[in-house]
Amino acid sequence: MDNINTTATTGEPITEQAPAVDTPSTTPATGLPDGYLADGFLETASTGKPFLRAVYVGTFAQQIATILRPMSASAFQTAFLRDVKRHIRRGVPYEAQTACAAAMLPQAIKLTAKHKAPSVLVDIITAAVGAVHDSVTFEAMYKHLDAIYAFMLQAQQNGGDT
């Protein structure tokens, strides 16, 4: 107990600090949130039906919106949501959805090459597209990307604070 009090009263600087609560925990190699898409977008309910894991429209979406700052929400929406939404509404076959998803990677590369987005965007889109295996996961990817867009809009509305 004396060690705790002595350390606190010596006036020596504290060299270790816990991370702030709102700091995203990321994987150093990619900058993606820890566990991002490790098990895919979906989980199976007790009824046997797949459902979107809440973390992809909540925590992960918010963390990624923070990571993508200062990319504009409108650039994100135009590059990654417009065509996906159109494909879902029209009920196009999975083969067409696959082409739509694959086209996202070149979009991410262009945005980062033009310095309109951080380079981690390529890793995010690569991981998201890689988790698409059928029409259900294509729609799950859309919901995840739409949640990221919503958090980006919120941050822009609040002047960059999330």
Side-chain angles (χ1 to χ4, degrees):
M1 198 147 133
D2 286 338
N3 289 342
I4 294 171
N5 290 337
T6 303
T7 305
T9 59
T10 62
E12 293 180 22
I14 298 173
T15 57
E16 292 184 28
Q17 227 174 343
V21 174
D22 62 350
T23 302
S25 176
T26 60
T27 305
T30 63
L32 299 175
D34 288 337
Y36 182 66
L37 289 170
D39 296 321
F41 287 115
L42 304 175
E43 195 167 322
T44 304
S46 59
T47 61
K49 292 188 177 191
F51 66 93
L52 178 62
R53 297 172 198 267
V55 70
Y56 291 103
V57 292
T59 306
F60 282 159
Q62 190 169 16
Q63 288 176 341
I64 289 172
T66 300
I67 291 168
L68 291 177
R69 205 178 290 153
M71 180 182 185
S72 78
S74 63
F76 185 87
Q77 190 272 342
T78 300
F80 306 113
L81 292 172
R82 185 177 294 162
D83 288 341
V84 175
K85 185 175 185 178
R86 191 174 303 128
H87 277 66
I88 291 170
R89 282 190 175 168
R90 291 182 181 165
V92 300
Y94 174 64
E95 294 76 16
Q97 292 174 349
T98 301
C100 177
M104 290 182 180
L105 183 57
Q107 289 291 344
I109 292 168
K110 285 191 273 186
L111 286 167
T112 58
K114 292 179 179 181
H115 305 288
K116 293 184 178 185
S119 60
V120 70
L121 177 64
V122 173
D123 295 329
I124 292 164
I125 296 303
T126 299
V129 170
V132 173
H133 304 293
D134 54 27
S135 292
V136 175
T137 52
F138 182 77
E139 188 169 348
M141 178 188 66
Y142 169 76
K143 289 178 181 178
H144 171 57
L145 296 176
D146 190 50
I148 293 169
Y149 171 62
F151 285 114
M152 292 173 81
L153 283 174
Q154 181 186 40
Q156 287 177 358
Q157 182 179 18
N158 294 335
D161 299 329
T162 54

